[in-house]
Amino acid sequence: MDKDSWIDFVAGWIGGCAGLLVGQPMDTIKVRQQTMTKMSSVSFLVRIFKYEGVRGFYKGMGFPLLAAGTLNSLFFGVYGNSLRWLSEGKARPSPADVMLAGCAGGVAQLFVACPVDLVKIKMQIQVESPREDGRGGSSSNRYRGPTACLQHMYKKGGVAGCYTGFNTMFFRDVPSFGLYMLLYEAFVTELSGPNRYTSHEAVILSGGLAGVISWATILPLDVIKSRIQADCTSSPQYKNAWDCVLKSYKADGVRVFTRGFWMMSVRAFPANGAILLGYVTSLNMMRTLVGTPGQDPQAEAVFV
């Protein structure tokens, strides 16, 4: 790694926080759709606001907000440095370089992302209206906050308990992060034109489209992951991911694997647009400030 490799990590942290602030309310609705009773996005939105107020949309956000910077710092830091290493000596990174670098970033963030997602989901499914829970009652555990939730998971299952759903997350995250960056680079290159000037609008549009498409490809895995992580720790309903697939299909049919699609789409576009805009903007600002030689900030917005 070169002497300015840290810049990718800092820029990733800024982008991650921006994306979480934008996308958390819609993520809460998506998770409840995937793990609770059959209800539309609008119905969940109304019920959350009615019983829990605005704060209900941000349940479970405290822990992810602290971790979002770390997650995206790891992802973009590894992605940026891997891309430079893979494309060293080339005039321009190849699509394969971008895909591999994205996958590497996906692996790097996974070890922090799994316990963060677990705590986030446990907090998000805590409801104030008992009948809202598709399992016939309110959540079996009531956590005072993210720290108490994580402590409970560790007490029940040790380190392994804190990594519930890790295997499913691996197959969800690693290829999807590679596809995500490949799509982003393709879109932003197309929009930037021959002069390689990339506007903020192009970054937001490219990031949003890349987020929606990459999420759509792995939504069934996201549903299974959410259900496994939302499962009761004392008397789990699912033995493993495959058991979750079979039981979910038997109970709700094939459509269960597309639950939360519209809310995912509505969330993914602005959230990923904010992430990429925060990342690219801060990356270019820091590179200008430190005077990284031989790099054009506008050009760097295309292949970061």
Side-chain angles (χ1 to χ4, degrees):
M1 293 193 295
D2 58 53
K3 66 182 181 67
D4 294 322
S5 60
W6 60 272
I7 292 177
D8 292 277
F9 291 92
V10 176
W13 189 89
I14 294 171
C17 290
L20 183 67
L21 289 169
V22 171
Q24 179 73 4
M26 291 165 281
D27 185 68
T28 297
I29 295 174
K30 174 184 74 73
V31 167
R32 291 196 183 185
Q33 276 192 293
Q34 291 177 342
T35 60
M36 294 182 175
T37 188
K38 299 177 183 177
M39 289 175 60
S40 68
S41 301
V42 174
S43 297
F44 266 116
L45 188 153
V46 172
R47 290 178 73 93
I48 292 172
F49 184 77
K50 179 180 179 180
Y51 291 105
E52 303 167 64
V54 175
R55 292 181 64 183
F57 294 102
Y58 288 92
K59 276 192 171 178
M61 185 175 176
F63 190 50
L65 185 59
L66 292 173
T70 303
L71 290 174
N72 283 274
S73 176
L74 286 170
F75 171 69
F76 283 110
V78 171
Y79 168 75
N81 285 285
S82 296
L83 188 61
R84 283 191 291 275
W85 177 72
L86 288 167
S87 60
E88 187 175 1
K90 300 178 183 178
R92 190 176 179 83
S94 69
D97 294 335
V98 175
M99 183 77 180
L100 286 172
C103 290
V107 173
Q109 61 83 46
L110 189 60
F111 295 93
V112 177
C114 188
V116 168
D117 250 27
L118 178 64
V119 169
K120 175 178 69 69
I121 285 177
K122 292 293 188 185
M123 297 297 295
Q124 285 174 323
I125 63 173
Q126 289 190 163
V127 298
E128 303 302 327
S129 173
R131 283 194 293 269
E132 187 178 333
D133 193 334
R135 302 177 192 85
S138 59
S139 300
S140 57
N141 293 298
R142 300 294 299 180
Y143 304 112
R144 294 188 305 275
T147 303
C149 178
L150 189 62
Q151 288 174 341
H152 175 82
M153 297 305 298
Y154 180 78
K155 183 178 179 180
K156 286 287 184 180
V159 174
C162 298
Y163 280 87
T164 299
F166 180 85
N167 291 340
T168 309
M169 280 194 73
F170 180 89
F171 289 107
R172 184 198 72 166
D173 284 8
V174 176
S176 67
F177 271 113
L179 178 62
Y180 173 56
M181 293 312 302
L182 184 63
L183 289 170
Y184 168 74
E185 300 290 9
F187 287 137
V188 82
T189 300
E190 183 67 25
L191 291 171
S192 66
N195 60 2
R196 287 176 58 81
Y197 174 79
T198 307
S199 66
H200 289 168
E201 292 80 6
V203 173
I204 294 171
L205 180 60
S206 299
L209 290 173
V212 171
I213 296 171
S214 59
W215 264 106
T217 63
I218 47 88
L219 186 60
L221 283 171
D222 186 59
V223 172
I224 297 305
K225 190 271 310 179
S226 294
R227 290 190 158 211
I228 290 173
Q229 292 185 327
D231 206 3
C232 179
T233 54
S234 56
S235 55
Q237 182 180 357
Y238 308 116
K239 298 176 183 177
N240 49 47
W242 183 241
D243 186 54
C244 181
V245 170
L246 295 177
K247 288 180 177 176
S248 298
Y249 175 76
K250 185 176 180 180
D252 299 304
V254 70
R255 292 185 65 181
V256 70
F257 301 114
T258 61
R259 275 193 190 176
F261 173 79
W262 292 112
M263 189 49 59
M264 175 278 297
S265 300
V266 171
R267 169 191 173 272
F269 191 93
N272 285 279
I275 289 172
L276 266 303
L277 180 63
Y279 170 63
V280 170
T281 302
S282 56
L283 183 74
N284 290 337
M285 286 178 62
M286 285 187 288
R287 283 179 172 169
T288 300
L289 289 172
V290 301
T292 303
Q295 292 184 338
D296 173 10
Q298 293 295 351
E300 286 301 313
V302 180
F303 277 96
V304 292

